[in-house]
Amino acid sequence: MRRRRALAAGASLLALAAVGACSSGSGHSAAELKVSGAYIPQPALADMAAGYFTVTNTGGTDATLTSVTSGFAASITMHSTTDGRMRTAVSFDVPAGGRLVLSLGGNHLMLMDLKRKPLAGEKVSLKLHFRDADPITVPVPVKPAGYQPGK
Amino acid sequence: MASPFTESARPAIQGRGRAAARMLALLGVLLAVVLGGAVPASAHAALLKTTPGESLTVRTPPAQVALEFSEGVLLSDDSIRVLGPDGRRVDTGKPHATAGSRTAAVSLRSGLKNGTYTVAWKAVSADSHPVAGAFTFNIGKASKTTVALPQQEAGGGIVGTLYGIGRYISYAAFALLVGVSVFLGVCWPRGALLRPMQRLVAGAWAAMAAATLALLMLRGPYANGGSLGDALDLGGIRDALDTRPGAALLSRLLLLAAGAVFIAVMFGSYAKREDPVERQDLAWGLGIGGVVVAGGLASTWAMVEHASVGIQTNISMPLDVLHLLAMAVWLGGLVALLTALFKGLAIEREAVQRFSRIGFISVVTLVATGVYQSWRQVGSWNALVSTGYGQLLCVKIGLVVLLIELAWLSRRWTARLGEAQVQVPVAVSKVLAGASAKGKGKAEGGGDGGGDSDSNGERAGQLARQEAALAKTEAKKARDADRERTGLRRSVLAEVAVAVVVLAVTTALTSTQPGRAATEQTTAGTVTAPVTTPDPVDVSLPFNTGGTKGKGDAEVTLDPATTGTNELHVLITDPDGNAENVPEVQVSFTLTAKKIGPIPVTLSKVDTGHWASTNVQLPIRGTWTMAVTVRTSDIDQITETKTVKIN
């Protein structure tokens, strides 16, 4: 049995902030997860959109992102992209002391069958489900089409 | 009236008649074969709804299959083919259009068994773009289907055939008009005074004008699937003018009007002027005007045909204009030379040699621009042999090689050519011209004149005809006595005959879409793809649209690459590997072996450089050709193809 301890997410934080955490009874310190840089580029149509974020694990235990859900999309799939080979991913690892990066041209989320077309400035709530850690709910801002972080 | 002149003139006329008949027969067969097979199929009309619905299961066999499009479509007899689980056709043929030709339906045979049925359809939408696709539906329950589509039958209706013939005549008349004009203007100015040459140019002009008008009228029924009677529908013509091909036809007509002025000046004031200075001035004007009109006419093709779509259009359109002009100068000039040689018009050695030089430049231009266009249209060696377009192109290349060999023969004759032995004085040729004009003008001309009429005009006409016949006979004798000219005449005749065929093949080529074969592939139905666990297909397509920031890679993933529903992702990256924003990406799938497709994929732009569709329906297993079109600016776009195996 694992004891779980939820870290409170900074509820009123900006989109880029989120919290998560967990711990286990083993000798390692628990996975300390933090979601940052999340955004959804405004899609052309209401049928699908991409989603990106970075999950940082400052704890001592590996964590695994198993799924993402949202009331806004009928289904959300995870895709890995390596050397142009795009695959539906069952899960993504968030190694201890490392991070998982979902970004343009690389790993990403596909949000299918959206309720409606999200507009820049709105926020979409995504729930990230982990193995070995409690789920994290992130308010994700919709950015204008063509938005690229740091550009 | 059995005058010795008419007697001796007859064999020559008969011989020419036979040659002409042979050529016509050959042309007819060719037109039937190539135009018949190359029915342009499919377009931008979107398939909105099908009955029965795509992939749906119905309990009882339906009486018909109906397709509803977003706009009017043109159907031919084989537009909708319904195939049973055993691959046999179960439709009764001849689809019919209803509701403003937006709905097409084909009846099914009765007593259909349970199983999966495949519907392959194709049509031409109002904007002349082809649309095609395929889907399956089930009766009772789904089953395995071994669909091997039957051989496509030729057809396309009388309107389609007439349209093809109109296009051919336009090409040929353009070649004649430009080629003979150049021949007379540059190589043989004296020839512009001779009536047969003038008739050649005037005839070409009239043929081109008539063909263009006819195409304009046929454009409506051709694009909308109407009947021949619709050609007279003014509203249809007005609608056709709003489309790009219609506008091009209209510009062609206007340019032809300008061309009429050019011809009038060339045969009128220019040809008759003696003063060298005045001639020089006029020559400049004619030269510039002629180049503008001819270039303009050529661009009415370049702007709407294959050169205007696909990759590097900013290079290919001017090159296409060059290609057309070089073709016209060479082939039209050949016909002019042939006419001069046949009529014994005593063409000077220098004129022939001058044409020989111009012809050589034209051939080099033709081959160079032709090679570029071939590369651009076909792209790969595989496509050259595996697609109908490529095969047709091979036929054309073979014919052109033959043509160039004949041209080389002609050049040898030209090099050995002596000065014309019998200089037919201008006076004689004027008589000749006058006689034929009169002969044409008189309805009763050609009858046995003796005693019928005492009118002076009649007698003068007879006299003129006799003189003409005499002149002709002498000219023929003179012409046959000249070995070199006879040899040249034969090789030029052969050249012209091959050129007629080349032009027909080209006409077919311009109405054939790469990948949509006019020739049935013998490998059809022999799909040997082993059934393995579904494996997504990843394809990397480097592209270069030629514009600024036109280079990059399109990474395409098709998952799971099986029949049924697939997910497709396209990631456009710049040469550094970063996602690149482009205005448009299109993907379509074609199963050439079974004549299915192109099935367009509705892509949704997910993010910068990322386009996707979660609902790519591929009805049958096989090696499909995936065409990815990337547009990087308003004008720069390219289509790259790759085959993908669907299990």
Side-chain angles (χ1 to χ4, degrees):
Chain A
M1 254 326 265
R2 290 165 180 149
R3 289 190 318 246
R4 290 186 181 181
R5 177 168 60 92
L7 285 184
S12 61
L13 285 187
L14 288 175
L16 312 188
V19 218
C22 58
S23 71
S24 73
S26 63
H28 297 287
S29 63
E32 300 270 341
L33 301 178
K34 200 178 150 209
V35 180
S36 62
Y39 75 97
I40 289 172
Q42 180 181 310
L45 300 168
D47 55 352
M48 61 181 103
Y52 312 105
F53 50 74
T54 300
V55 183
T56 314
N57 185 354
T58 52
T61 308
D62 294 349
T64 305
L65 177 66
T66 52
S67 69
V68 179
T69 54
S70 170
F72 193 74
S75 76
I76 298 179
T77 52
M78 301 187 289
H79 285 93
S80 69
T81 310
T82 41
D83 302 329
R85 296 163 74 89
M86 200 180 283
R87 289 285 178 272
T88 307
V90 178
S91 63
F92 281 124
D93 289 339
V94 194
R99 57 189 192 148
L100 162 71
V101 180
L102 273 64
S103 64
L104 175 60
N107 302 334
H108 61 274
L109 296 183
M110 289 295 294
L111 289 71
M112 310 287 186
D113 299 326
L114 311 179
K115 250 197 231 162
R116 58 181 169 78
K117 179 176 155 179
L119 299 174
E122 293 179 338
K123 284 186 183 168
V124 172
S125 181
L126 295 186
K127 194 172 186 183
L128 282 56
H129 303 264
F130 295 93
R131 195 181 301 147
D132 306 333
D134 283 346
I136 305 172
T137 302
V138 194
V140 179
V142 178
K143 296 287 189 184
Y147 167 83
Q148 289 184 42
K151 280 199 184 172
Chain B
M1 120 184 191
S3 98
F5 309 120
T6 45
E7 277 299 331
S8 53
R10 193 163 293 149
I13 293 164
Q14 277 179 346
R16 212 175 308 155
R18 268 203 304 276
R22 271 203 298 272
M23 215 181 275
L24 269 179
L26 185 66
L27 176 63
V29 169
L30 244 134
L31 279 176
V33 171
V34 288
L35 299 182
V39 184
S42 77
H44 272 165
L47 182 63
L48 298 179
K49 200 179 132 195
T50 69
T51 318
E54 203 167 322
S55 307
L56 281 190
T57 303
V58 291
R59 264 199 212 139
T60 51
Q64 64 166 22
V65 169
L67 310 177
E68 189 188 326
F69 295 92
S70 59
E71 60 178 79
V73 290
L74 163 65
L75 304 168
S76 58
D77 279 359
D78 257 345
S79 274
I80 304 176
R81 286 171 296 152
V82 185
L83 303 141
D86 55 359
R88 267 198 299 216
R89 252 179 106 155
V90 297
D91 63 280
T92 55
K94 294 213 187 288
H96 43 274
T98 49
S101 75
R102 277 185 50 200
T103 308
V106 67
S107 302
L108 299 183
R109 299 216 175 93
S110 54
L112 296 181
K113 292 189 188 112
N114 285 356
T116 297
Y117 289 75
T118 306
V119 181
W121 58 270
K122 56 174 191 167
V124 177
S125 78
D127 61 356
S128 90
H129 283 98
V131 262
F135 66 94
T136 58
F137 68 92
N138 311 313
I139 297 176
K141 61 179 173 117
S143 72
K144 282 203 170 196
T145 173
T146 55
V147 167
L149 298 189
Q151 178 143 351
Q152 182 103 22
E153 289 146 39
I158 190 162
V159 172
T161 310
L162 285 177
Y163 197 82
I165 292 172
R167 279 159 35 85
Y168 180 84
I169 292 175
S170 318
Y171 279 125
F174 169 74
L176 266 186
L177 183 60
V178 173
V180 179
S181 297
V182 168
F183 188 85
L184 295 179
V186 179
C187 308
W188 196 31
R190 212 179 57 81
L193 285 168
L194 303 181
R195 189 52 69 98
M197 306 313 273
Q198 296 181 353
R199 272 211 301 259
L200 209 53
V201 174
W205 185 90
M208 195 170 169
T212 307
L213 260 178
L215 286 179
L216 208 50
M217 290 166 78
L218 285 171
R219 184 69 216 170
Y222 171 74
N224 291 318
S227 68
L228 200 52
D230 295 342
L232 298 172
D233 175 18
L234 280 179
I237 295 172
R238 206 168 41 235
D239 290 345
L241 286 177
D242 288 338
T243 65
R244 206 147 89 124
L249 287 172
L250 186 65
S251 340
R252 199 176 296 165
L253 266 188
L254 295 175
L255 282 162
L256 274 174
V261 178
F262 170 87
I263 294 167
V265 173
M266 190 169 79
F267 289 146
S269 42
Y270 176 66
K272 294 192 179 106
R273 202 140 307 188
E274 303 284 339
D275 181 12
V277 179
E278 280 179 34
R279 268 184 83 90
Q280 193 65 33
D281 286 348
L282 257 178
W284 267 106
L286 277 178
I288 293 169
V291 166
V292 168
V293 171
L297 283 172
S299 53
T300 61
W301 278 287
M303 67 189 265
V304 289
E305 294 192 340
H306 286 164
S308 67
V309 290
I311 60 168
Q312 300 178 358
T313 46
N314 45 353
I315 302 173
S316 74
M317 284 205 276
L319 285 186
D320 196 36
V321 169
L322 262 186
H323 192 80
L324 278 160
L325 288 177
M327 177 278 290
V329 168
W330 184 24
L331 303 188
L334 277 180
V335 175
L337 180 58
L338 189 65
T339 309
L341 291 169
F342 256 102
K343 300 244 171 191
L345 291 180
I347 181 165
E348 304 92 339
R349 179 181 55 189
E350 209 181 311
V352 181
Q353 283 171 345
R354 229 176 277 158
F355 173 67
S356 183
R357 280 194 293 275
I358 289 182
F360 181 75
I361 297 168
S362 301
V363 171
V364 171
T365 312
L366 264 179
V367 170
T369 51
V371 166
Y372 168 78
Q373 300 286 16
S374 310
W375 165 79
R376 189 179 159 276
Q377 303 294 4
V378 178
S380 70
W381 293 111
N382 182 40
L384 193 61
V385 288
S386 65
T387 66
Y389 187 90
Q391 289 160 355
L392 213 50
L393 190 61
C394 287
V395 172
K396 180 175 173 178
I397 291 168
L399 286 169
V400 168
V401 168
L402 179 67
L403 198 53
I404 290 173
E405 272 168 21
L406 288 168
W408 178 76
L409 206 65
S410 299
R411 266 176 85 80
R412 276 208 341 197
W413 283 117
T414 304
R416 281 157 54 178
L417 212 58
E419 202 40 80
Q421 278 169 8
V422 179
Q423 291 281 0
V424 179
V426 175
V428 172
S429 35
K430 274 193 178 152
V431 167
L432 201 157
S436 52
K438 271 180 207 157
K440 226 185 203 170
K442 285 196 188 299
E444 71 272 50
D448 279 14
D452 271 7
S453 162
D454 296 20
S455 114
N456 279 339
E458 192 86 359
R459 191 160 287 279
Q462 279 175 15
L463 218 66
R465 277 199 295 283
Q466 285 182 9
E467 267 182 55
L470 177 63
K472 260 189 192 165
T473 318
E474 286 196 342
K476 184 181 177 293
K477 256 189 216 155
R479 142 197 129 172
D480 289 345
D482 187 338
R483 219 181 125 255
E484 281 74 27
R485 275 184 169 66
T486 308
L488 180 61
R489 200 176 69 230
R490 289 199 182 126
S491 64
V492 171
L493 176 65
E495 271 189 82
V496 169
V498 176
V500 165
V501 180
V502 168
L503 223 50
V505 173
T506 307
T507 308
L509 262 181
T510 55
S511 63
T512 305
Q513 296 283 328
R516 220 151 16 78
T519 332
E520 178 64 36
Q521 286 199 321
T522 46
T523 52
T526 57
V527 180
T528 51
V531 184
T532 50
T533 47
D535 207 6
V537 165
D538 299 288
V539 171
S540 179
L541 288 163
F543 64 84
N544 185 357
T545 61
T548 48
K549 288 184 135 194
K551 254 186 167 167
D553 271 295
E555 312 276 1
V556 185
T557 303
L558 186 67
D559 191 359
T562 56
T563 56
T565 308
N566 287 271
E567 192 170 316
L568 181 92
H569 289 267
V570 183
L571 196 60
I572 307 292
T573 57
D574 63 14
D576 298 331
N578 300 315
E580 173 81 19
N581 204 16
V582 293
E584 192 177 2
V585 176
Q586 287 175 2
V587 175
S588 70
F589 288 88
T590 308
L591 188 57
T592 314
K594 295 190 177 173
K595 302 203 172 198
I596 295 178
I599 300 176
V601 173
T602 312
L603 282 177
S604 184
K605 188 182 175 186
V606 177
D607 192 6
T608 303
H610 185 178
W611 301 69
S613 168
T614 52
N615 190 23
V616 179
Q617 296 287 343
L618 298 173
I620 328 185
R621 287 167 48 188
T623 304
W624 291 69
T625 302
M626 178 174 71
V628 180
T629 304
V630 181
R631 185 160 66 79
T632 57
S633 76
D634 283 347
I635 51 165
D636 302 308
Q637 73 168 29
I638 188 169
T639 300
E640 298 285 355
T641 59
K642 198 113 180 184
T643 54
V644 290
K645 206 162 248 178
I646 302 301
N647 290 312

